[in-house]
């Protein structure tokens, strides 16, 4: 692996079990109490699933939107955001989505790859604050509709300027600082590798920085069977002295699943969580 990975990962493990809990648009609370989503006629529903699945059936009024519409298609690896984020904001404005919108992103949950969470993270990064995600299984699908005719779209809104939430993104410079971290860093930062355990063990670098605390929790453990943030993860992280304010750097394989994990952590009260959107593939130089 390239120099950005050297010394980053320290073998560790943390196993979690799924549980049935839900969260709402209420403010983050330290004890990670979560509530059911509140969906009203003002809620914008974004469906991150494939066009094929969306056309089979979807929530009435939902808009089909993919996370990778906001990524650089010319990059060697997926995950990196486009450089022209103003264009992304204009695209959202045409769909009727703005910084003040209340949004729920629908996806495949554990059966997918974290697409709904990555899209939710992208919107939050652009400055949309009231955004949540859930699996299709959270909803009563007997009320879903099939695409047989053109649906009424949301009215477009004026173009808006992205207000980037840089606290939830990790750049390579931060990775480099972690690689060179001194002995007083362990209490301040945590790296969470959200790949499966086999991938995690297979790609450990030869040089380990003992000053950085690293744990491996697969991304699926951060959500329950309804695709909502899993409160058990919060309990177990706090059980090993991971506080709400600690810097939590999340790294996944492609930067998709890690986006979902950041959204889950923020919902569970870990206010200083962020991820590297290019994922391990970009860090290692693989495709």
């Amino acid at each position: 692996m390239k120099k950005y990975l050297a010394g980053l990962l320290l073998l560790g493990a943390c196993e979690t079990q799924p549980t049935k809990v839900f969260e709402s648009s209420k403010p983050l609370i330290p004890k990670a109490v979560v509530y059911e989503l509140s969906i009203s006629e003002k809620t914008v529903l974004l469906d991150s699933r494939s066009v094929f699945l969306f056309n089979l059936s979807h929530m009435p009024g939902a808009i089909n939107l993919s996370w990778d519409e906001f990524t650089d298609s010319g990059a060697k690896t997926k995950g990196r955001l486009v450089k022209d984020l103003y264009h992304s904001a204009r695209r959202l404005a045409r769909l009727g989505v703005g910084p003040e919108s209340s949004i729920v992103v629908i996806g495949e949950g554990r059966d997918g790859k974290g697409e709904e969470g990555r899209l939710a993270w992208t919107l939050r990064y652009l400055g949309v604050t009231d955004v949540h995600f859930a699996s299709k299984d959270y909803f009563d699908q007997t009320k879903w509709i099939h695409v047989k005719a053109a649906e009424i779209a949301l009215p477009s809104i004026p173009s808006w300027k992205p207000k980037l939430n840089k606290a939830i993104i990790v750049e390579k410079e931060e990775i480099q600082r972690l690689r060179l971290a001194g002995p007083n860093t362990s209490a301040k930062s945590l790296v969470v590798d959200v790949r499966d355990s086999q991938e995690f063990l297979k790609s450990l670098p030869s040089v380990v920085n003992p000053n950085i605390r690293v744990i491996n929790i697969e991304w699926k453990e951060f959500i329950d069977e309804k695709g909502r943030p899993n409160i058990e993860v919060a309990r177990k992280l706090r059980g090993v002295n991971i506080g709400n304010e600690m810097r939590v750097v999340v790294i996944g394989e492609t930067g998709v699943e890690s986006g979902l994990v950041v959204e889950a952590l923020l919902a569970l009260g870990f206010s200083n969580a962020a991820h590297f959107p290019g994922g391990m593939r970009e860090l290692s130089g693989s495709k």
Side-chain angles (χ1 to χ4, degrees), residues 234-269:
R235 290 171 178 164
K236 292 193 175 184
L237 286 176
R238 293 190 176 98
V240 291
N241 299 319
I242 307 302
N244 290 0
E245 304 300 322
M246 179 177 285
R247 181 61 165 173
V248 181
V249 175
V250 183
I251 298 179
E253 182 66 20
T254 63
V256 180
E257 64 276 51
S258 55
L260 178 144
V261 170
V262 169
E263 284 296 302
L265 287 170
L266 292 174
L268 292 168

Side-chain angles (χ1 to χ4, degrees), residues 1 4-14 178-179 185-186 189-195 197 200-201 203-217 249 251 280:
M1 294 190 178
Y4 301 109
L5 284 180
L8 179 59
L9 300 179
L10 176 63
L11 178 59
C14 181
L178 289 175
R179 184 180 72 85
T185 308
S186 59
S189 300
L190 170 74
V191 173
V192 180
D193 189 316
V194 297
R195 298 173 297 162
S197 58
F200 174 68
L201 293 171
S203 60
L204 280 174
S206 57
V207 179
V208 175
N209 184 347
N211 299 314
I212 298 299
R213 188 177 183 186
V214 181
I215 60 176
N216 174 222
I217 310 175
V249 175
I251 298 179
M280 195 66 75

Side-chain angles (χ1 to χ4, degrees), residues 9-281:
L9 300 179
L10 176 63
L11 178 59
C14 181
E15 297 180 354
T16 59
Q17 296 297 325
T19 187
K20 294 183 179 180
V21 292
F22 307 100
E23 171 230 14
S24 74
S25 57
K26 295 184 178 182
L28 301 179
I29 42 186
K31 293 184 179 180
V33 180
V34 286
Y35 302 84
E36 292 192 21
L37 285 171
S38 177
I39 298 177
S40 69
E41 60 183 12
K42 295 182 179 181
T43 304
V44 179
L45 298 173
L46 299 179
D47 195 318
S48 66
R49 298 174 303 147
S50 67
V51 174
F52 174 76
L53 291 175
F54 178 82
N55 286 340
L56 284 179
S57 67
H58 59 264
M59 285 277 285
I63 301 169
N64 191 212
L65 186 65
S66 175
W67 69 273
D68 58 12
E69 291 188 36
F70 302 93
T71 60
D72 184 359
S73 59
K76 292 182 179 180
T77 56
K78 276 191 173 184
R80 266 295 172 187
L81 293 169
V82 294
K83 294 181 179 179
D84 186 3
L85 293 174
Y86 293 97
H87 175 77
S88 298
R90 291 193 294 271
R91 161 89 166 111
L92 291 169
R94 289 194 295 271
L95 294 175
V97 176
E100 304 302 320
S101 299
S102 178
I103 297 173
V104 172
V105 187
I106 303 168
E108 286 290 296
R110 292 176 177 172
D111 293 330
K113 297 181 179 179
E115 294 92 343
E116 63 271 30
R118 171 59 193 249
L119 179 55
W121 174 87
T122 302
L123 295 173
R124 190 179 304 279
Y125 180 68
L126 291 173
V128 182
T129 57
D130 189 7
V131 56
H132 309 277
F133 67 92
S135 164
K136 65 183 187 304
D137 297 321
Y138 181 84
F139 307 92
D140 181 1
Q141 295 180 53
T142 63
K143 298 180 180 180
W144 286 27
I145 62 174
H146 301 277
V147 175
K148 296 182 179 179
E151 296 183 50
I152 299 175
L154 291 175
S156 61
I157 63 174
S159 296
W160 48 278
K161 181 179 179 181
K163 187 176 180 180
L164 301 184
N165 185 353
K166 295 185 178 180
I168 62 172
I169 193 170
V170 175
E171 300 289 358
K172 284 186 176 179
E173 291 76 13
E174 184 171 353
I175 299 293
Q176 179 73 349
R177 288 196 299 270
L178 289 175
R179 184 180 72 85
L180 301 174
N184 297 322
T185 308
S186 59
K188 301 177 182 178
S189 300
L190 170 74
V191 173
V192 180
D193 189 316
V194 297
R195 298 173 297 162
D196 64 52
S197 58
Q198 291 184 342
E199 288 297 320
F200 174 68
L201 293 171
K202 185 169 62 176
S203 60
L204 280 174
S206 57
V207 179
V208 175
N209 184 347
N211 299 314
I212 298 299
R213 188 177 183 186
V214 181
I215 60 176
N216 174 222
I217 310 175
E218 187 174 0
W219 70 272
K220 294 181 181 181
E221 298 299 326
F222 287 85
I223 55 175
D224 62 20
E225 68 275 14
K226 298 292 186 181
R228 304 294 297 126
N230 186 353
I231 198 171
E232 289 302 318
V233 170
R235 290 171 178 164
K236 292 193 175 184
L237 286 176
R238 293 190 176 98
V240 291
N241 299 319
I242 307 302
N244 290 0
E245 304 300 322
M246 179 177 285
R247 181 61 165 173
V248 181
V249 175
V250 183
I251 298 179
E253 182 66 20
T254 63
V256 180
E257 64 276 51
S258 55
L260 178 144
V261 170
V262 169
E263 284 296 302
L265 287 170
L266 292 174
L268 292 168
F270 296 91
S271 60
N272 200 10
H275 82 126
F276 181 69
M280 195 66 75
R281 290 186 183 179

